[in-house]
């Protein structure tokens, strides 16, 4: 049961226990101290209801029964006491049941009022994300335990927001600072390789260094993109996701041709509210991963209906290794054996979360991986 229901049950239970104790006490007092040596003389012509509730006690112990009027009914004190006690008992039970119903309703209302600050704390916690820590409870009221809890929660959010901001600024600043020396290195290598005096060994070394430099630049760009998507979306606009998919498929055609991989694309009109650059990076990373981690003659299937699904053929992916693929720098193959930086699926998940969506993956039945990205679709639709 929910806490409100339990509190209401406790309130009603305590009320019923107190009510039963009070009825028992009244019944005991009435049984112990009510007189029993008197009699009641009433007319037989009175209605039965009035016979039961006749108020006057009269002592008839010294009056012969033959001298009483023929229509007079004499009730002993014990009988009168029993009738009164029975009437009081059942009346009290009826009143207790009616009051219990009222107590349950009142307990439900009071429990709701007491738990209202907790509902505020819960709703605020549900709205919070790592990318959006600007929500606060700011509970008004007396300085009681609930106020202290809300203030403590707000203080914790302040510390978390400061920590996340510091981490993101560090990643962004470090990535920016690293791009300049990499650009200088690339220029120096290209100049050295293009020199007429360069030997074949220098050119081979230069080509290797340029490849390493390119990997480093991609890694830095990936870190920048990851830091940007982790900060959330500063601006939003309507984006046709199907058009983004088609553009990214075309940009990956050359890489797919080099790897002898073919595309199978099935899309429909799909409108989302978000950042077009980040969405393009999301789709592009999915497609490039699907091509790079494929096999010659394999296929990449892209479906866009209720969600975006990208699947590929290739080596079998262990199910236990799939969750780790969304962590930065985690790959199944050795890092030196592929052109990727290990940030592809991390960026996909981060961008999806920034758009209030989600990303998950599972092994493909015949080998390879299936990645499903759910992005909220807007209510605006346009005929294709």
């Amino acid at each position: 049961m929910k806490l409100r229901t339990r509190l209401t049950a406790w309130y009603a239970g305590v009320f019923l226990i107190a009510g039963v104790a009070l009825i028992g006490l009244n019944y005991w007092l009435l049984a112990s101290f009510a007189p029993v040596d008197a009699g009641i003389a009433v007319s037989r012509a009175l209605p039965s209801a009035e016979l039961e509730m006749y108020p006057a006690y009269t002592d008839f112990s010294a009056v012969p029964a033959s001298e009483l009027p023929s229509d007079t009914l004499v009730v002993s004190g014990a009988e009168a006491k029993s009738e009164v006690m029975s009437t009081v008992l059942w009346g009290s039970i009826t009143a207790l049941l009616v009051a219990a119903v009222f107590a349950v309703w009142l307990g439900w209302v009071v429990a709701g009022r007491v738990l209202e600050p907790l509902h505020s704390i819960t709703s605020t916690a549900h709205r919070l994300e790592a990318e959006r820590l600007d929500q606060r409870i700011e509970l008004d009221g007396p300085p009681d335990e609930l106020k202290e809890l809300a203030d403590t929660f707000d203080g914790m959010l302040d510390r978390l927001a400061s920590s996340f901001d510091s981490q993101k600024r560090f990643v962004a600043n470090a990535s920016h600072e690293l791009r300049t020396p990499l650009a200088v290195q690339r220029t120096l290598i290209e100049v050295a390789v293009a020199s007429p005096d360069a030997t074949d060994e220098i050119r081979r070394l230069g080509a290797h260094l340029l490849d390493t430099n390119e990997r480093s630049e991609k890694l830095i760009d990936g870190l920048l993109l990851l830091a940007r998507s982790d900060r959330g979306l500063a601006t939003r606009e309507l984006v046709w996701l199907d058009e983004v998919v088609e553009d990214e498929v075309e940009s990956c055609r050359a890489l797919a041709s080099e790897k002898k991989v073919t595309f199978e694309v099935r899309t429909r009109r799909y409108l989302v509210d978000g950042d077009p650059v980040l969405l393009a990076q999301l789709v592009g990373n999915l497609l490039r991963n699907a091509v790079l981690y494929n096999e010659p003659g394999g296929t990449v299937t892209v479906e866009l209906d209720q969600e975006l699904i990208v699947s590929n053929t290739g080596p079998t992916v262990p199910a236990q290794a799939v969750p780790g693929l969304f962590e930065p720098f985690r790959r199944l193959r050795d890092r030196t054996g592929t052109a990727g930086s290990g940030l592809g699926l991390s960026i996909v998940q981060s961008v999806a979360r920034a758009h209030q969506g989600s990303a998950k993956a599972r092994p493909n039945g015949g080998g390879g991986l299936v990645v499903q990205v759910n992005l909220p679709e807007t209510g605006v639709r346009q005929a294709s």
Side-chain angles (χ1 to χ4, degrees):
M1 293 188 297
K2 292 185 176 180
L3 181 58
R4 185 177 185 182
T5 306
R6 294 202 301 270
L7 287 177
T8 303
W10 275 105
Y11 295 154
V14 171
F15 176 84
L16 286 175
I17 292 174
V20 170
L22 182 60
I23 291 175
L25 178 62
N26 289 338
Y27 193 84
W28 176 76
L29 291 174
L30 185 61
S32 300
F33 298 102
V36 295
D37 57 349
I40 302 177
V42 296
S43 173
R44 293 181 183 274
L46 293 176
S48 58
E50 295 188 27
L51 285 174
E52 296 176 0
M53 301 301 296
Y54 195 81
Y57 280 82
T58 306
D59 186 3
F60 294 108
S61 58
V63 181
S66 58
E67 296 182 9
L68 295 175
S70 61
D71 60 349
T72 299
L73 174 65
V74 178
V75 181
S76 67
E79 293 175 348
K81 178 179 179 180
S82 176
E83 289 294 331
V84 171
M85 291 177 63
S86 177
T87 301
V88 169
L89 177 63
W90 287 109
S92 300
I93 292 175
T94 303
L96 178 63
L97 293 177
V98 174
V101 174
F102 177 75
V104 170
W105 172 80
L106 185 61
W108 180 263
V109 173
V110 171
R113 294 293 298 274
V114 171
L115 295 176
E116 187 174 352
L118 291 180
H119 293 318
S120 177
I121 296 174
T122 303
S123 61
T124 302
H126 280 308
R127 292 193 300 268
L128 290 175
E129 302 173 358
E131 300 83 11
R132 185 181 178 185
L133 295 173
D134 57 339
Q135 298 288 324
R136 296 295 182 272
I137 301 171
E138 298 178 350
L139 184 66
D140 295 328
D144 54 11
E145 288 82 357
L146 292 176
K147 172 70 172 173
E148 182 180 359
L149 174 62
D151 292 342
T152 303
F153 193 79
D154 286 341
M156 180 189 68
L157 292 178
D158 291 336
R159 294 189 295 273
L160 282 176
S162 176
S163 176
F164 273 105
D165 289 341
S166 298
Q167 181 185 24
K168 293 170 185 175
R169 282 196 302 270
F170 171 78
V171 173
N173 293 336
S175 300
H176 276 297
E177 292 298 326
L178 288 173
R179 295 180 73 177
T180 301
L182 286 175
V184 173
Q185 290 177 14
R186 184 178 68 251
T187 303
L188 293 175
I189 295 171
E190 290 174 347
V191 170
V193 171
S195 173
D197 300 332
T199 63
D200 292 340
E201 184 179 354
I202 291 178
R203 288 190 175 92
R204 285 195 299 270
L205 178 60
H208 180 71
L209 291 175
L210 284 175
D211 182 66
T212 304
N213 187 272
E214 183 182 0
R215 290 170 182 262
S216 299
E217 288 181 343
K218 289 181 178 179
L219 176 61
I220 298 303
D221 291 338
L223 288 174
L224 278 172
L225 182 62
L226 189 60
R228 176 185 173 187
S229 59
D230 281 344
R231 287 196 300 267
L233 303 181
T235 59
R236 291 175 177 268
E237 61 181 88
L238 294 178
V239 181
W240 289 108
L241 188 59
D242 55 297
E243 295 180 359
V244 174
V245 171
E246 293 172 0
D247 292 341
E248 292 301 317
V249 168
E250 288 301 319
S251 66
C252 288
R253 291 287 184 186
L255 179 61
S257 177
E258 179 185 346
K259 298 291 184 179
K260 296 183 174 59
V261 174
T262 58
F263 280 107
E264 295 179 2
V265 183
R266 294 184 294 272
T267 64
R268 68 166 176 85
R269 300 294 279 170
Y270 198 103
L271 187 65
V272 298
D273 186 21
D275 188 318
V277 176
L278 291 180
L279 290 173
Q281 289 287 343
L282 180 149
V283 177
N285 281 354
L286 285 177
L287 297 181
R288 283 188 289 274
N289 274 3
V291 172
L292 289 173
Y293 296 96
N294 213 313
E295 58 188 2
T299 59
V300 175
T301 304
V302 183
E303 300 179 36
L304 178 61
D305 190 4
Q306 300 299 320
E307 58 185 358
L308 175 62
I309 303 176
V310 178
S311 58
N312 70 331
T313 55
T316 302
V317 179
Q320 64 272 16
V322 171
L325 296 178
F326 288 97
E327 298 178 11
F329 309 112
R330 291 287 298 274
R331 292 172 297 179
L332 290 179
R333 297 182 182 179
D334 181 58
R335 184 170 299 180
T336 61
T338 60
S341 60
L343 291 174
L345 290 182
S346 300
I347 293 174
V348 167
Q349 187 176 63
S350 179
V351 173
R353 288 177 176 174
H355 289 80
Q356 285 75 53
S358 61
K360 59 183 179 179
R362 57 180 172 83
N364 203 355
L369 194 68
V370 179
V371 181
Q372 300 169 260
V373 179
N374 190 305
L375 295 172
E377 185 179 11
T378 65
V380 181
R381 293 201 179 182
Q382 176 178 325
S384 57

